[in-house]
Amino acid sequence: MNKVKNILVALDLTDIDVKLIEYTSVIADKLGAEKVYFLHNIKKFELAELFKEQLDKIDIENIIEENIEKLLKRHYTAPIENEILVSEDPDTVSLIRYIVTKFEINLVVLGNKNNINGSGTVSSKLLHSLRCDILSVNREAELPKGNFLATTDFSKFSVTAIQKANAMAQLFGENKIDVLHIFKIPQVYFPYLEPKASLEKAEKHSSAKLDKFIKKNQLENKVNPILKSAGDKSISKQIREIAKEQNTDIIFISGRGQNSFNAFLAGSVCEALFTSKLKRPLWIVRGKKLS
């Protein structure tokens, strides 16, 4: 099982940076990470024409690095080595991919600044291009205490997400996590089915599958199973609402999944969550289980 050794935090010099630094401090400390890299990409090309004369007279990279150093002195509390990376690249996604490869990054921490309906182009590109874990943190997030929720579509990939969430919870002194499965009857069949009977049958079928999934993967004493119908809501919206009800610290979801009777498409649900304005941090699991 792989350990999270190196963490990359993407800063943009806005107010969310403080939250990212504080949050990463807790996570890095609990994980016993080896190094945390703090990255800011200067989009000088957006300013070059308008402020070309002023930019020629200052060392903007040095100024930004000094500002990040000040933030770290105030808000970075983990006893983990850190390094500041300031770059100037027209393609932020390519830059992050390069750094992830060069420094063998296991976890990338990003700020969630998406609109409620989902609009993050950069976020979406990173989701599809990075092969390491991604942790998206919102401005309102409280520091984690170990109350974690993992989603499942009964795939082997979701097992890894559950195991990682459970291992993380244990680092916070918690023995169990919530495991959520959302079932949904495809809308196209509604005109031909009796609603109440169909819902009862789908719930019974999904409950049996969830029980079998938990026993097969020896999760009986490690999870609190939660089974819910999506009803007329999207699966991602139902996950958000249940996470709020459970006062979840972090939602864990696999970046890969499978099609099933219950229509839980982990890839599409994962992206819908990642590119929405979440009220809870989202951990997208791509790597292996924690050691």
Side-chain angles (χ1 to χ4, degrees), residues 26-266:
V26 175
I27 295 295
D29 190 16
K30 291 293 184 182
L31 287 170
E34 294 181 3
K35 194 165 184 177
V36 179
Y37 297 89
F38 292 93
L39 167 70
H40 176 72
N41 185 34
I42 304 170
K43 297 182 179 179
K44 194 181 291 186
F45 66 93
E46 295 181 352
L47 304 172
E49 290 301 319
L50 188 59
F51 301 107
K52 187 175 187 300
E53 196 172 307
Q54 291 95 321
L55 288 172
D56 288 340
K57 297 176 183 179
I58 61 174
D59 186 347
I60 190 169
E61 289 189 18
N62 187 55
I63 292 173
I64 289 174
E65 186 168 342
E66 288 179 353
N67 286 337
I68 294 175
E69 284 178 354
K70 290 177 182 177
L71 283 176
L72 294 182
K73 285 180 181 179
R74 275 180 261 158
H75 304 285
Y76 184 73
T77 58
I80 309 295
E81 181 183 359
N82 68 81
E83 182 177 341
I84 299 171
L85 305 173
V86 178
S87 183
E88 180 189 341
D89 194 300
D91 190 337
T92 301
V93 174
S94 293
L95 174 64
I96 291 176
R97 288 179 60 187
Y98 169 75
I99 292 173
V100 164
T101 301
K102 180 179 180 180
F103 295 106
E104 298 180 343
I105 300 297
N106 307 108
L107 173 66
V108 172
V109 182
L110 306 169
N112 184 308
K113 300 171 68 177
N114 299 306
N115 295 324
I116 190 64
N117 292 322
S119 64
T121 303
V122 171
S123 296
S124 183
K125 288 181 179 178
L126 286 172
L127 177 63
H128 290 287
S129 61
L130 294 181
R131 293 295 172 262
C132 63
D133 285 11
I134 302 172
L135 175 58
S136 175
V137 180
N138 53 301
R139 282 189 177 88
E140 307 88 350
E142 296 183 2
L143 296 180
K145 300 178 181 66
N147 185 24
F148 301 144
L149 178 149
T151 65
T152 182
D153 63 347
F154 306 138
S155 70
K156 63 180 180 180
F157 307 113
S158 69
V159 175
T160 302
I162 292 168
Q163 291 172 332
K164 183 163 287 188
N166 187 259
M168 281 294 300
Q170 290 180 26
L171 294 176
F172 284 85
E174 299 292 335
N175 295 320
K176 284 188 175 184
I177 63 166
D178 293 329
V179 168
L180 171 66
H181 177 74
I182 307 290
F183 67 92
K184 186 177 181 69
I185 302 172
Q187 296 285 326
V188 68
Y189 298 124
F190 276 177
Y192 313 104
L193 301 174
E194 197 282 312
K196 185 177 179 181
S198 301
L199 180 62
E200 290 175 352
K201 186 171 184 178
E203 185 172 7
K204 183 178 179 179
H205 174 82
S206 299
S207 179
K209 289 191 70 174
L210 182 57
D211 289 343
K212 182 178 179 181
F213 173 80
I214 289 172
K215 291 176 182 177
K216 178 182 177 182
N217 294 287
Q218 300 178 340
L219 299 170
E220 293 96 326
N221 299 317
K222 299 178 180 179
V223 304
N224 299 310
I226 302 174
L227 179 68
K228 293 285 185 179
S229 167
D232 58 358
K233 302 173 186 175
S234 68
I235 293 176
S236 61
K237 184 176 182 180
Q238 185 71 300
I239 291 172
R240 293 198 302 268
E241 292 185 0
I242 293 170
K244 182 179 179 180
E245 291 172 6
Q246 299 296 116
N247 198 26
T248 299
D249 291 339
I250 303 176
I251 302 169
F252 287 77
I253 187 170
S254 172
R256 301 174 67 184
Q258 66 181 13
N259 293 353
S260 69
F261 165 82
N262 302 285
F264 191 108
L265 312 180

